[in-house]
Amino acid sequence: PYLGLLPLRDDTLSSIPPDGSQLLDRLVREASPLRSFSELHLETGLPMSTLFKLALHLEKWGHMRIITPITEDSIFCVHPNASTAPDCEAACAYAAAFGSRPALPYVSALQLFSTPRRFGALLRSQRVPARRLVQTTILLWRKRAIQQLALTVACVEDPPEPAPQPCSQVVASSGSGADAHVVEGGRSTTSPELARWRLFQQLRPMLHGDHSIEEIAWHEGIPRKAIEEIVGAYPEHLVTLAIPADGEE
């Protein structure tokens, strides 16, 4: 449900015959790399199972790619095989979309992604108007001039279980479930450190560098921020890896 679709062609809708599937027509009209399958499910009213089947067909036919939707946390970088030649496919598509002399030339657009960085940081840099940046990113992504990176987490060493705090060290609850200190037998059993360690243990089976943070968050039913806090809490035990996302060549 956290995945989405990247349209690759402009003739997808017109290629559906008049007597073709209305469900497919509805999905194609709403598909956007800014929407997840969960959002498309709400927008189109299509059952999730039907949505997945249609998405797989569209990908097999070469009309769309299954991707992780663009968010402020997305990371993009120049594709290793990207060409800067003015007559390459990506450059020609760029000129067709933005004109032969755009305010942001094709090569300058690629330079925006010369260093991997969060898309939100790029938006806030105000180097390019937000709407144009999104349009540029989608076009370059469609033409494989840039690629999406997935941020994964790998455990290099398990952190030790924190020692229970003596009763004298227990502080009052702040009202947050993660920060509440419960006294049992003179010891605090749910200190923030212990709660964090327990969450780490919950996530441990997926911390091998093979699963994106988005996938872990969906699988475990927790917000992305909670995973980032775990990574920040155990800098000597966890490392983050930026690798090409699934489907990137």
Side-chain angles (χ1 to χ4, degrees), residues 6 89 94 118 138 141 161 220 231-232 248:
L6 172 66
E89 181 183 0
Y94 192 89
R118 290 182 186 269
I138 293 173
W141 195 13
E161 180 178 1
E220 298 298 330
V231 173
E248 302 287 355

Side-chain angles (χ1 to χ4, degrees), residues 83 85-95 106 139 142-143:
S83 173
D87 58 348
C88 71
E89 181 183 0
C92 291
Y94 192 89
Y106 169 68
L139 187 147
R142 288 177 62 177
K143 298 302 178 182

